[in-house]
Amino acid sequence: MRAALPFWTLLLLAPLGLGACSDDDGSAEESEPADPRGAAPAPPTPEAPPEPPRDAFPGYPLIDDSQLLRAPERYDHLVPRLVPPTGPRYRNLVYEANNVGMRGPRNDDGFYEATGSTIAERWREAAAGVKKVFALRDALFSQQDHPIDHDPVAVMMPPSWVTVAVAETLAERPLQPVQAPPIDDDDAWAAFSTPQALFGSFPPSERLHETATRARTVLAPERLRVTNARRTVQLLARDAQAMIDAATEGAEAVAAAGAEAISLSDRRYFGERLRREHVILIGVENPNRHELVEEAKGLRVHGRELPQEAVDLARRAIYRRRLRDGDIAVERYDLAVPAERRRAIAVLEELLPAEGGEAGGDVWLWVHGGLDARGIGGRDATPFIGGFREQVEASEVDTARLHYLSKPHVPIGGRNLAMKLDAAARRFRALEIPLSLNIGTRLLQRLIDENEERRQRRSARAAAAEAAED
């Protein structure tokens, strides 16, 4: 049997296509995969500690400054991958991180080796050592906490739940709550025989329902899996109840209550200062079919008709509330399609009006020139960015708080990696947009150092030639 490679080695190899820990664009997450069956038992995972008070936020993490690098100014627009998350990393670069990769390896029983709190600390320490980090936080299975396979820390209520609550309120239908009995009451949980019975008016998760309603046996890991699922349902029920309580005040109040619950979960996970200074939360405003159907991303629900008014109310409330806390990223728009350009500009005018906008973070708009069905491969936005920028500047948008990120990433592979990196960096610098890369810090450091040494040798030769002429 082949010996397993260490986890961080696998993460380092993944961007080069030699592993599978990280997806291609840093945004696609797992949907609702089936639980492992028949796996060998792993060492028992300790039960999670009691949930902290609702207003308790983690402090700003202490980091080892000796591990932090500084990229030369000519490379300070690069956006590499945060693998491994800690260790050497560039303090002046924006990074992309992947939720699945950040959780680390799984045991044979399907649980993650790290606890939820350890994974959260990993995120905080990693983010505090870099300029900023993109973090996808948009759907039940596309956020930092896994709802089942480790103890939840600060589960985010999906944005689509807010849209549904707003839609039901606009239709003057009473919101049915999410049911969340005591964790140890097996009979009460088993009574909810369908996902709809458990989740009330809100979008059901078949996997979460199936796990939460199993008997909570005395055997680990099954007992822990059920416990985690029930804790997640309880957290979702609490946030859904905040919207139910606001329903008597109308749809806008419901949207505001949902947005506040989502913002609170963000800050409880990352901490207020770290969220404000270092974390760029990604919202999938314009999901493709795979993201909507398989991953439940975005503000709509597959198979459920929701009025545009409800979608608009939820989007404005959630995105504006999150923007007050720090930077947000909104994805993703095909600049080759006029309708998607108009859609992107409309969202920007809501979030960053030229006059009268609220104080807060910046908006990062993810753009491309046509992607494949999974949103991974395709053409980047560089052929279209100039014309689109002119359109945005002619609209009612505060462009001082707007940044672009062109996707997909620019591949750096094959021979002469350092020279390819330098050429791509110069091209994107000329376009005044960041350069998204599918490589981690250690390879990037080697390539930057190689280019800097080459530059120094070239300068030394030029100086010697000039001295010889004199």
Side-chain angles (χ1 to χ4, degrees):
M1 183 175 183
R2 188 174 60 180
L5 290 173
F7 166 55
W8 297 124
T9 301
L10 290 173
L11 278 183
L12 285 169
L13 294 176
L16 298 179
L18 301 177
C21 294
S22 177
D23 57 69
D24 185 75
D25 73 346
S27 67
E29 296 290 334
E30 62 181 310
S31 49
E32 295 197 9
D35 287 333
R37 301 294 184 184
T45 305
E47 297 244 7
E51 185 190 354
R54 186 166 169 77
D55 58 352
F57 302 117
Y60 194 84
L62 296 175
I63 57 173
D64 183 358
D65 281 353
S66 68
Q67 294 287 301
L68 304 186
L69 311 168
R70 181 168 292 276
E73 184 177 353
R74 65 180 61 85
Y75 296 125
D76 65 5
H77 61 304
L78 305 187
V79 183
R81 299 304 176 98
L82 198 54
V83 288
T86 52
R89 56 205 187 278
Y90 287 98
R91 67 169 74 231
N92 61 329
L93 295 188
V94 176
Y95 278 76
E96 290 185 60
N98 173 265
N99 289 333
V100 176
M102 293 289 280
R103 292 179 193 139
R106 292 178 183 262
N107 293 318
D108 291 339
D109 58 21
F111 274 101
Y112 287 97
E113 289 181 0
T115 64
S117 10
T118 298
I119 295 167
E121 285 298 324
R122 184 182 295 155
W123 267 101
R124 295 167 196 150
E125 184 181 351
V130 302
K131 184 177 180 180
K132 290 182 185 290
V133 61
F134 288 106
L136 178 66
R137 193 169 175 83
D138 181 79
L140 183 59
F141 284 84
S142 290
Q143 58 178 299
Q144 288 64 49
D145 275 326
H146 192 284
I148 299 171
D149 292 342
H150 63 68
D151 51 301
V153 174
V155 171
M156 175 206 67
M157 177 177 65
S160 60
W161 283 38
V162 182
T163 310
V164 167
V166 170
E168 293 295 284
T169 305
L170 288 172
E172 298 184 348
R173 290 190 290 265
L175 287 167
Q176 301 303 314
V178 179
Q179 302 297 326
I183 284 178
D184 58 358
D185 191 342
D186 280 354
D187 291 340
W189 285 93
F192 303 111
S193 58
T194 66
Q196 291 73 20
L198 182 64
F199 288 97
S201 297
F202 300 92
S205 166
E206 291 187 6
R207 182 181 175 193
L208 194 55
H209 166 265
E210 191 275 332
T211 306
T213 56
R214 294 179 199 167
R216 191 168 173 258
T217 69
V218 296
L219 300 176
E222 182 63 18
R223 178 183 179 86
L224 300 180
R225 182 170 281 115
V226 174
T227 298
N228 294 341
R230 291 179 182 179
R231 277 209 176 99
T232 293
V233 173
Q234 288 184 337
L235 294 174
L236 294 172
R238 180 191 63 190
D239 289 350
Q241 188 62 46
M243 295 190 291
I244 295 171
D245 294 342
T248 56
E249 301 175 39
E252 289 196 9
V254 169
E260 186 62 36
I262 288 174
S263 163
L264 184 57
S265 76
D266 299 339
R267 289 175 284 138
R268 285 190 61 194
Y269 194 88
F270 294 104
E272 289 188 296
R273 179 185 165 191
L274 191 72
R275 166 71 185 97
R276 181 175 64 251
E277 297 179 2
H278 293 279
V279 178
I280 310 169
L281 291 183
I282 304 172
V284 186
E285 195 278 327
N286 186 24
N288 61 29
R289 178 173 175 78
H290 169 75
E291 291 169 320
L292 178 63
V293 176
E294 304 297 331
E295 298 176 329
K297 291 179 181 176
L299 293 153
R300 293 185 177 273
V301 179
H302 175 62
R304 188 165 182 171
E305 289 294 328
L306 296 170
Q308 189 61 44
E309 181 183 1
V311 177
D312 293 344
L313 268 174
R315 181 186 62 246
R316 285 194 295 268
I318 296 167
Y319 288 12
R320 286 175 177 173
R321 180 63 190 89
R322 277 183 154 177
L323 192 59
R324 281 165 49 193
D325 294 333
D327 288 8
I328 65 172
V330 186
E331 65 166 331
R332 61 178 70 89
Y333 304 91
D334 185 349
L335 299 189
V337 179
E340 294 213 6
R341 289 185 181 218
R342 292 192 294 271
R343 177 173 180 161
I345 290 172
V347 170
L348 291 175
E349 287 179 332
E350 280 185 356
L351 296 175
L352 298 177
E355 296 181 3
E358 293 186 22
D362 293 351
V363 174
W364 296 71
L365 195 74
W366 285 35
V367 292
H368 61 92
L371 301 179
D372 61 23
R374 291 182 64 87
I376 295 175
R379 179 169 56 172
D380 65 38
T382 55
F384 310 99
I385 193 67
F388 180 68
R389 184 182 274 123
E390 290 178 1
Q391 284 183 265
V392 173
E393 289 173 351
S395 65
E396 297 299 317
V397 175
D398 179 5
T399 56
R401 294 171 61 189
L402 174 63
H403 312 271
Y404 299 100
L405 188 69
S406 172
K407 303 296 290 186
H409 69 271
V410 173
I412 303 293
R415 298 182 178 181
N416 303 316
L417 296 182
M419 296 178 68
K420 288 179 180 178
L421 173 68
D422 194 63
R426 284 186 278 108
R427 181 165 69 92
F428 275 69
R429 173 74 76 186
L431 294 169
E432 298 181 336
I433 53 176
L435 171 59
S436 173
L437 298 168
N438 196 28
I439 60 178
T441 298
R442 290 176 183 170
L443 177 55
L444 180 62
Q445 181 184 8
R446 179 170 70 80
L447 300 182
I448 288 177
D449 289 348
E450 184 177 331
N451 282 331
E452 290 303 291
E453 291 169 5
R454 182 181 294 109
R455 197 179 306 276
Q456 290 169 8
R457 290 195 301 269
R458 189 162 54 242
S459 296
R461 287 196 299 270
E466 184 178 345
E469 289 178 3
D470 294 340

